[in-house]
Amino acid sequence: MGFSFVSESFQNALDRLFETAQKNLNSKDDETKNWANKVRSLKEFFTNRTLEYLDINLHETKKWNLFDVSQLADSIIANDLLHLKYGALSFYVYLKEWEFRRGIKENEQHNPIVRSFYDFIYTEKNQRYLEFKTHYDFVDELPFVICGEIYSDSKLSEIRNFLEEKDFSDFNSFVETNTTTFEMIKKWEESFDEKKQAVLDLEKRLEESKQTYDFVLLNKGFKELYEQKKAELKERRNGYSSFGATLAITPLLLIIFSFIGFWLKGEETLKYLLYVMFPVSTFMLIILYFVRVSLQHVRSVQSQMMQLELRMTLCQFIHNYAEDSEKLHKKNAAGFEKFENIIFSPLVSSDDKIPTTFDGMEQLAKLVSEFRK
C-alpha cells in the first residue's frame, strides 16, 4: 500500500521522534544518549523541500510500511530507546535510496553529519546485525532493485531494440572521418598559433625598426643641417679673411705710396696725401664695419654648429624616444623636459646682435657730418 512523506501523519511522527531525541540528549543511559544525538543531528535535513523530493523519488522505500515512522507500534514509541533505533534505521534507509537515486557514491558524501551517521549505523550493524536485519538487507539489495527497475523499463527496451536493428557502419565511418577532421583542425589551430606568434614577432621587430629609423632620420636631418652650417662657416670665414686682409693692406699700401711719392716729389707729396686721407679713412671705416659684421656671422654659425653637435649626441643617447617618452616623463619629468627643449627648440643665433648695413651707413653719415662741422 505504501506511505507518503508529505502526509500530516508522517510529519507528526517526525516531530514526536525528534522530541524523543531532544529529551534524551543528556540521558544517563549512554546507549540512549548516543542514539538520541544521531537522530537529533538529522533534524535539519528533513525540510519540507527534502520531504517533497523523497516522496517523488523514493519509490522502493515507500512500498514498505515497515519504514514509515508514522506506523510504529505504540510499544515501540513508548520505549524511548526503541523509538530512537527504529527512527534512525528508517532514516538510514531513506538516505541510502536518496543517494542511489542521485548517483552519489558513499566515498563522495561530503556532508560530515551524514558521514558520522553512517559510521554510527555501520558500527551497530557489525555488533547487532540481527536486531534490524530487515533494514540492513533492504539497503544491501536496494542497488540491485533500482538497477532492475531501470533496465526493465519499457522505454529502455525500445531504445535497445532500436539500436540492435540499425546498421551503424555508416555512423562509425562518419565518426572516424570526424576524428580525422578534428585532428586536422587541431593541427591547423596549432599551426595557426605558431604563424600568429611569428606575425606578432615580425610586427614587434618592424615597430622597433620603425622607431629606430625615425630617430635615425632625425639624426640624419641634424647632420645635413650641420654640413650646411659647416659650408656656411667656411664661406663666412673667407669673407671675414678678405675684409681683414683689405683692412690690413690698405694703410700699408698708403704708407708705401707715401714713401715713394716723398722720395720722387719731395714735400709736394704731403699735399696730395691730405686729399687722399679722407676717402681712405672712410673706406677703412667701412671695411672695419664689415669685418665686425663678418666676425659676428662666424660666431653665430659656430654657435649653431655646437648646438647641432649636442643634438646629434643626444640622438645617439636616446634611441626609443617614441616608446620611452612616457616612462621617462614619469621617472624624471624635469630632466626629460630639458631634453625635449634642446632637441626641438630652434637654433639660437646672434642675429639680433648683428648690425644691419643700413644701420652702419647711418653711423658713417653721422661721422661725416661731424667732420664737416
Side-chain angles (χ1 to χ4, degrees):
M1 184 177 179
F3 63 94
S4 174
F5 286 96
V6 294
S7 64
E8 184 178 356
S9 60
F10 186 86
Q11 184 63 56
N12 292 333
L14 277 181
D15 293 339
R16 285 197 304 270
L17 180 60
F18 288 129
E19 286 176 3
T20 302
Q22 184 70 33
K23 181 177 61 175
N24 290 278
L25 290 178
N26 298 315
S27 175
K28 295 180 179 180
D29 182 54
D30 291 338
E31 185 179 7
T32 304
K33 179 179 179 181
N34 291 334
W35 282 97
N37 278 278
K38 293 305 175 184
V39 171
R40 179 62 181 79
S41 66
L42 294 177
K43 183 177 181 179
E44 304 300 329
F45 174 80
F46 289 97
T47 62
N48 292 333
R49 183 176 180 181
T50 304
L51 292 174
E52 291 176 358
Y53 178 86
L54 297 178
D55 191 64
I56 295 172
N57 295 281
L58 270 58
H59 308 300
E60 294 299 322
T61 301
K62 288 173 59 177
K63 294 178 181 178
W64 301 90
N65 292 329
L66 175 63
F67 308 128
D68 184 4
V69 294
S70 66
Q71 299 187 39
L72 294 177
D74 292 338
S75 60
I76 294 176
I77 297 175
N79 187 319
D80 289 349
L81 179 59
L82 287 178
H83 192 195
L84 292 171
K85 284 185 177 182
Y86 273 93
L89 266 297
S90 298
F91 289 170
Y92 174 63
V93 173
Y94 303 159
L95 290 172
K96 278 302 180 181
E97 185 171 359
W98 176 69
E99 287 190 351
F100 292 148
R101 296 289 183 183
R102 297 183 62 186
I104 300 176
K105 298 179 181 180
E106 184 178 327
N107 57 359
E108 294 178 354
Q109 176 57 255
H110 299 298
N111 190 321
I113 297 176
V114 177
R115 290 187 65 87
S116 176
F117 178 75
Y118 284 164
D119 293 339
F120 178 79
I121 296 297
Y122 294 153
T123 301
E124 290 294 323
K125 180 180 179 181
N126 292 331
Q127 295 176 357
R128 303 178 181 87
Y129 170 74
L130 295 177
E131 184 178 0
F132 291 95
K133 180 178 181 301
T134 306
H135 292 75
Y136 297 136
D137 291 346
F138 177 81
V139 171
D140 292 339
E141 295 174 2
L142 191 58
F144 302 100
V145 175
I146 294 175
C147 289
E149 176 188 327
I150 294 173
Y151 282 104
S152 62
D153 191 340
S154 59
K155 294 182 179 179
L156 183 61
S157 299
E158 292 177 3
I159 295 174
R160 184 168 57 250
N161 294 332
F162 174 79
L163 294 176
E164 290 175 353
E165 294 173 358
K166 295 296 181 180
D167 181 13
F168 288 94
S169 58
D170 294 338
F171 177 76
N172 292 333
S173 176
F174 175 75
V175 172
E176 292 176 358
T177 304
N178 277 353
T179 302
T180 306
T181 304
F182 291 148
E183 291 177 355
M184 293 178 63
I185 292 174
K186 185 177 180 180
K187 291 180 180 178
W188 289 344
E189 289 178 350
E190 293 176 355
S191 176
F192 175 78
D193 292 337
E194 293 177 358
K195 292 178 180 179
K196 181 181 178 181
Q197 186 60 41
V199 170
L200 293 176
D201 293 340
L202 288 175
E203 181 183 4
K204 183 178 179 181
R205 290 172 60 185
L206 287 174
E207 185 65 24
E208 293 175 354
S209 299
K210 178 179 177 298
Q211 293 175 359
T212 303
Y213 184 68
D214 289 342
F215 223 77
V216 168
L217 288 178
L218 181 62
N219 192 28
K220 182 180 179 182
F222 287 146
K223 286 183 178 180
E224 291 178 353
L225 188 58
Y226 181 81
E227 294 298 329
Q228 294 177 7
K229 292 299 178 180
K230 189 175 181 180
E232 182 181 355
L233 178 62
K234 183 178 180 181
E235 181 182 350
R236 297 294 184 182
R237 280 180 174 174
N238 291 336
Y240 171 72
S241 300
S242 299
F243 285 120
T246 302
L247 185 63
I249 291 174
T250 299
L252 182 62
L253 291 176
L254 182 61
I255 293 173
I256 292 173
F257 282 118
S258 298
F259 276 108
I260 294 174
F262 184 79
W263 182 61
L264 294 176
K265 298 290 185 175
E267 295 181 356
E268 294 180 2
T269 306
L270 297 177
K271 180 174 62 175
Y272 296 106
L273 287 176
L274 293 175
Y275 292 107
V276 175
M277 184 180 297
F278 180 75
V280 169
S281 300
T282 303
F283 176 73
M284 290 182 64
L285 289 175
I286 294 173
I287 295 300
L288 179 62
Y289 169 77
F290 281 108
V291 167
R292 178 170 173 261
V293 171
S294 298
L295 180 60
Q296 291 294 336
H297 277 298
V298 170
R299 290 178 176 175
S300 175
V301 173
Q302 288 178 336
S303 174
Q304 293 175 11
M305 290 178 66
M306 290 178 62
Q307 296 172 49
L308 290 172
E309 289 175 353
L310 177 60
R311 283 165 169 76
M312 288 188 290
T313 303
L314 291 176
C315 285
Q316 294 175 359
F317 179 70
I318 299 180
H319 298 286
N320 297 326
Y321 169 77
E323 180 181 357
D324 297 337
S325 59
E326 184 177 356
K327 297 179 181 178
L328 294 172
H329 268 298
K330 291 180 179 179
K331 292 182 179 180
N332 188 2
F336 198 74
E337 184 178 356
K338 293 179 180 179
F339 163 76
E340 287 183 328
N341 291 337
I342 293 175
I343 290 292
F344 299 109
S345 62
L347 296 178
V348 178
S349 62
S350 303
D351 294 340
D352 57 331
K353 297 181 180 180
I354 299 175
T356 62
T357 304
F358 185 75
D359 293 338
M361 293 302 294
E362 285 184 350
Q363 293 176 7
L364 290 175
K366 290 179 181 180
L367 182 62
V368 171
S369 62
E370 290 293 332
F371 272 103
R372 287 181 177 179
K373 292 179 181 179

